[in-house]
Amino acid sequence: MAKTKTQFVCQNCGTVHTRWAGKCDGCGEWNTIVEDDPMGGIGGGPGKTPKKGRAVALTTLSGETEEAPRVQTGISELDRVTGGGFVRGSAVLVGGDPGIGKSTLLMQAAAALSRGGHRIIYVSGEEAVAQVRLRAQRLGAANTDVLLAAETNVEDILATLAEGKRPDLVIIDSIQTLWSDTADSAPGTVTQVRTGVQAMIRFAKQTGAAMVLVGHVTKEGQIAGPRVVEHMVDAVLYFEGDRGHHYRILRTVKNRFGPTDEIGVFEMSDKGLREVSNPSELFLGERNAKAPGAAVFAGMEGTRPVLVEVQALVAPTSLGTPRRAVVGWDSARLSMILAVLEAHCGVKLGQHDVYLNVAGGYRITEPAADVAVAAALVSSLANVPLPSERVYFGEVSLSGAVRPVSQTAQRLKEAEKLGFSSAMLPASSAEIPKGGKKRSSEIEGLPDLVVEIAGSARKLGKGQEED
Ligand code: TYD
Ligand code: MG
């Protein structure tokens, strides 16, 4: 019989180490490694004779497969992110910082589903029934048939779920409070969280209920983060937002049943989260079009165009090393744009502090924002506002070329809808509108193109939809 050896597991990323260390090699976090029971109570423990395997029937790739049955919440921003509703028999992890609004969002979803006649069970491990009721009252969900339980023990939860009619959707808030008798470690450790999540996933698969698991993102590493169970669930959604701002974004990170680049936008209020069906209007709401250093970026989030303002401030530095501060964008990319501007466009920023901010606390992940950033920087340096009716997009390469980006038509269509009349975009765009003509633009040296988008964008957009 093999001797049970202890192992050391990082509570943040789940990397297994043979000995304790202060810093995890896997994720670079400090003080996250703890001793762990390798079998974790799962799989019967060491020394058990493996049972003889059973051959399964192999099949082919083609064949009749039914569309996954879904539970639609009717909250369209949420349904969009899940790819059309929660899939029955699947498990979804909703991660996010503590206090970001996960419980609020899921209580609203539970209430909406319950009104639609679904049987919804909300298991709260963090808050007492009274607290959950209070929230439900605030959200106007108190008179719905959502069933509540305040419980953290996995076996008790499973027994509760198995009683009565099969639930359509189960919400576990949160996975970090789950603990099972079968695992020896303390609640909140990787082993406990994994065991609990595994049991919940098994319940979902067996009964066809949709399982929603809430997971707190942890910085301190005291409890296991959602990363350790990401690979076990069918979909991973992250709820994010800036604490200083009143809107929240639900982002898909993984989805076995739908697209992964969709976002849902919500606005916080005292009555809970409100859907924002046109995020561009929200992000451009407080725009001062006459300020130098501001460029409107026509971005895409999945299938949806989002217009946001990129703000730059360039000021002579008083320090030996100039400051570079970025909020909402990649700082390495900013350094790259600064280098390209210096090398190819004669824009010298070596003696300037550079601050870059994406309005509203929004975070841009697309390289297509390069051109907007470059325009904002040049505008701030020259202290000349950019044309207020123009949007910017395009990827800048190290050689100083502006590379085409995808979905030109959708970007232009959204810009036109919001009252913009021209766009600066890559000259080599595959889908340049008919009326597009080369003009000298804000950044000399970048081979970009400014086009009038009125009318032509509509034409182009139509052609796009048809194919
Ligand atoms: P909560 O949903 O409890 O966050 P999480 O479950 O992610 O930890 O929300 C945190 C706090 O914010 C809570 O006190 C309620 C408040 N809140 C609102 O007042 N309005 C809102 O729209 C949201 C989302 C939260
Ligand atoms: Mg909560």
Side-chain angles (χ1 to χ4, degrees), residues 208-356:
M211 182 67 66
V212 180
L213 305 160
V214 176
H216 292 294
V217 172
T218 54
K219 298 245 156 59
E220 299 76 26
Q222 299 305 324
I223 46 172
R227 298 257 313 264
V228 302
V229 294
E230 271 183 5
H231 64 285
M232 294 160 61
V233 295
D234 298 299
V236 179
L237 315 177
Y238 273 96
F239 204 39
E240 48 190 51
D242 191 287
R243 267 175 201 274
H245 292 92
H246 59 286
Y247 74 88
R248 297 282 178 260
I249 292 176
L250 189 65
R251 215 179 265 281
T252 336
V253 180
K254 158 180 172 178
N255 195 349
R256 287 185 184 148
F257 299 102
T260 53
D261 47 6
E262 290 293 350
I263 61 163
V265 185
F266 299 90
E267 198 175 357
M268 275 175 65
S269 75
D270 51 352
K271 297 219 166 45
L273 293 156
R274 261 202 313 251
E275 294 179 67
V276 177
S277 47
N278 193 340
S280 304
E281 272 168 19
L282 181 76
F283 296 132
L284 293 179
E286 290 140 30
R287 187 164 92 97
N288 176 6
K290 292 200 177 61
V296 175
F297 165 53
M300 292 296 297
E301 283 287 356
T303 56
R304 188 157 56 157
V306 178
L307 265 55
V308 281
E309 188 182 63
V310 176
Q311 304 162 343
L313 178 63
V314 176
T317 186
S318 52
L319 305 165
T321 322
R323 271 193 70 114
R324 303 294 179 233
V326 191
V327 178
W329 208 48
D330 184 10
S331 56
R333 258 204 115 78
L334 172 66
S335 307
M336 195 195 97
I337 299 294
L338 292 175
V340 170
L341 284 176
E342 174 135 12
H344 299 286
C345 313
V347 179
K348 303 241 179 292
L349 291 162
Q351 294 305 312
H352 288 81
D353 288 338
V354 174
Y355 301 91
L356 192 78

Side-chain angles (χ1 to χ4, degrees), residues 96-105 108 126-127 135 138-139 173 214 216 239 248 267-274:
D97 288 323
I100 207 78
K102 300 181 293 298
S103 303
T104 307
L105 174 70
Q108 283 180 262
E126 297 187 341
E127 292 159 308
R135 170 182 293 121
R138 205 157 35 82
L139 301 175
D173 189 0
V214 176
H216 292 294
F239 204 39
R248 297 282 178 260
E267 198 175 357
M268 275 175 65
S269 75
D270 51 352
K271 297 219 166 45
L273 293 156
R274 261 202 313 251

Side-chain angles (χ1 to χ4, degrees), residues 426-439:
S428 48
S429 276
E431 331 152 55
I432 296 234
K434 283 263 161 37
K437 51 183 180 290
K438 208 165 176 131
R439 283 215 255 137

Side-chain angles (χ1 to χ4, degrees), residues 18 23 34 82 100 128 134 144 152 181 209 220 226 248 253 266 271 281 292 314 344 375 387-388 403 426 451 462:
T18 48
K23 186 180 175 186
V34 295
T82 50
I100 207 78
L134 217 68
T144 58
T152 54
D181 300 323
E220 299 76 26
R248 297 282 178 260
V253 180
F266 299 90
K271 297 219 166 45
E281 272 168 19
V314 176
H344 299 286
S388 66
R403 302 233 302 260
V451 295
K462 204 158 156 262

Side-chain angles (χ1 to χ4, degrees), residues 6-338:
T6 46
Q7 59 178 20
F8 297 85
V9 181
C10 171
Q11 302 294 296
N12 186 52
C13 66
T15 306
V16 177
H17 303 258
T18 48
R19 67 177 73 170
W20 191 86
K23 186 180 175 186
C24 172
D25 301 335
C27 61
E29 287 292 321
W30 286 89
N31 279 334
T32 54
I33 297 176
V34 295
E35 192 174 339
D36 207 20
D37 162 23
M39 295 315 290
I42 325 160
K48 204 175 160 195
T49 26
K51 83 171 200 247
K52 197 163 182 306
R54 165 181 65 90
V56 295
L58 299 172
T59 176
T60 56
L61 288 177
S62 64
E64 289 284 304
T65 316
E66 278 172 43
E67 205 27 54
R70 289 178 186 266
V71 196
Q72 272 188 4
T73 59
I75 303 175
S76 62
E77 291 295 297
L78 179 60
D79 289 342
R80 178 211 314 281
V81 174
T82 50
F86 295 112
V87 176
R88 287 182 192 276
S90 82
V92 180
L93 175 70
V94 178
D97 288 323
I100 207 78
K102 300 181 293 298
S103 303
T104 307
L105 174 70
L106 292 173
M107 179 50 80
Q108 283 180 262
L113 283 168
S114 170
R115 283 193 200 101
H118 292 95
R119 183 176 157 91
I120 313 296
I121 300 184
Y122 190 108
V123 182
S124 174
E126 297 187 341
E127 292 159 308
V129 168
Q131 284 169 301
V132 181
R133 278 192 186 142
L134 217 68
R135 170 182 293 121
Q137 265 165 27
R138 205 157 35 82
L139 301 175
N143 55 358
T144 58
D145 295 326
V146 176
L147 298 165
L148 266 189
E151 186 49 62
T152 54
N153 181 276
V154 173
E155 286 74 32
D156 291 351
I157 293 174
L158 289 177
T160 314
L161 295 182
E163 238 172 41
K165 223 179 107 219
R166 184 203 70 179
D168 294 295
L169 183 101
V170 179
I171 296 165
I172 306 287
D173 189 0
S174 67
I175 55 169
Q176 279 109 354
T177 57
L178 288 180
W179 68 279
S180 165
D181 300 323
T182 59
D184 299 331
S185 339
T189 54
V190 170
T191 311
Q192 282 287 7
V193 169
R194 279 202 189 135
T195 313
V197 168
Q198 227 151 35
M200 295 305 146
I201 294 176
R202 210 175 311 125
F203 176 83
K205 295 250 174 337
Q206 280 165 1
T207 61
M211 182 67 66
V212 180
L213 305 160
V214 176
H216 292 294
V217 172
T218 54
K219 298 245 156 59
E220 299 76 26
Q222 299 305 324
I223 46 172
R227 298 257 313 264
V228 302
V229 294
E230 271 183 5
H231 64 285
M232 294 160 61
V233 295
D234 298 299
V236 179
L237 315 177
Y238 273 96
F239 204 39
E240 48 190 51
D242 191 287
R243 267 175 201 274
H245 292 92
H246 59 286
Y247 74 88
R248 297 282 178 260
I249 292 176
L250 189 65
R251 215 179 265 281
T252 336
V253 180
K254 158 180 172 178
N255 195 349
R256 287 185 184 148
F257 299 102
T260 53
D261 47 6
E262 290 293 350
I263 61 163
V265 185
F266 299 90
E267 198 175 357
M268 275 175 65
S269 75
D270 51 352
K271 297 219 166 45
L273 293 156
R274 261 202 313 251
E275 294 179 67
V276 177
S277 47
N278 193 340
S280 304
E281 272 168 19
L282 181 76
F283 296 132
L284 293 179
E286 290 140 30
R287 187 164 92 97
N288 176 6
K290 292 200 177 61
V296 175
F297 165 53
M300 292 296 297
E301 283 287 356
T303 56
R304 188 157 56 157
V306 178
L307 265 55
V308 281
E309 188 182 63
V310 176
Q311 304 162 343
L313 178 63
V314 176
T317 186
S318 52
L319 305 165
T321 322
R323 271 193 70 114
R324 303 294 179 233
V326 191
V327 178
W329 208 48
D330 184 10
S331 56
R333 258 204 115 78
L334 172 66
S335 307
M336 195 195 97
I337 299 294
L338 292 175

